[in-house]
Amino acid sequence: MQFTLLRGSHTRDIYDNRLTSVGLEFSELSAVEQIDLYQNSITLVVPWVFSQLRSISRMALMQNKLGWIPAGTFAGLALSHELLLYGNQLTWVEPGAFAGSSCNNIDLSNNNITAIPAGMMANSPGLTRVYASADQQL
């Protein structure tokens, strides 16, 4: 699925569609404050694609089909408030997935994560909370 992102708006509402991946088209957004990508069919977020975004307060990727988060996926993301990843199909988050991110809250609840790997949250200076309720044996 291809689409053009409009510049000038502070919110990107691309929810409840058939989007399957998040790629380089998002790396060019500079003034956006909120990205809503929930209720799609996203299985892949290209690593480092959000690293140049500097004014994001909230990113919603919940209720998609993400199965794992590779190292670097949210690395360098300047996210001032929350990253919502709940209700996906996550089983694993690689160490370094959030490296250098300034996100305060990450919601990983209602996935299939059974362990948090050592170093997963390393080098995430602003991180204060990770929600992981309803994840089995976490």
Side-chain angles (χ1 to χ4, degrees), residues 9-122:
S9 176
H10 293 287
T11 301
R12 293 292 179 267
D13 292 321
I14 309 170
Y15 60 88
D16 201 16
N17 283 288
R18 288 177 274 182
L19 192 64
T20 59
S21 65
V22 177
L24 297 177
E25 64 272 11
F26 284 87
S27 65
E28 298 177 9
L29 300 176
S30 58
V32 70
E33 295 173 4
Q34 182 172 313
I35 298 176
D36 291 327
L37 293 164
Y38 59 89
Q39 292 179 336
N40 278 285
S41 296
I42 297 170
T43 59
L44 172 69
V45 176
V46 174
W48 296 94
V49 74
F50 298 119
S51 64
Q52 299 302 311
L53 303 181
R54 297 291 174 228
S55 59
I56 302 287
S57 63
R58 178 180 178 268
M59 184 176 296
L61 280 160
M62 67 274 202
Q63 299 171 337
N64 278 288
K65 296 181 180 181
L66 292 170
W68 66 294
I69 300 175
T73 299
F74 297 103
L77 177 63
L79 186 65
S80 64
H81 187 58
E82 60 187 355
L83 175 59
L84 304 173
L85 294 165
Y86 66 83
N88 277 282
Q89 299 168 5
L90 293 172
T91 58
W92 184 248
V93 179
E94 285 190 2
F98 305 102
S101 172
S102 60
C103 183
N104 294 98
N105 302 305
I106 298 174
D107 190 339
L108 295 168
S109 62
N110 295 309
N111 281 289
N112 297 310
I113 299 171
T114 58
I116 297 287
M120 184 179 94
M121 304 300 176

Side-chain angles (χ1 to χ4, degrees), residues 123-134:
N123 300 317
S124 299
L127 187 61
T128 56
R129 288 192 177 109
V130 176
Y131 299 98
S133 65

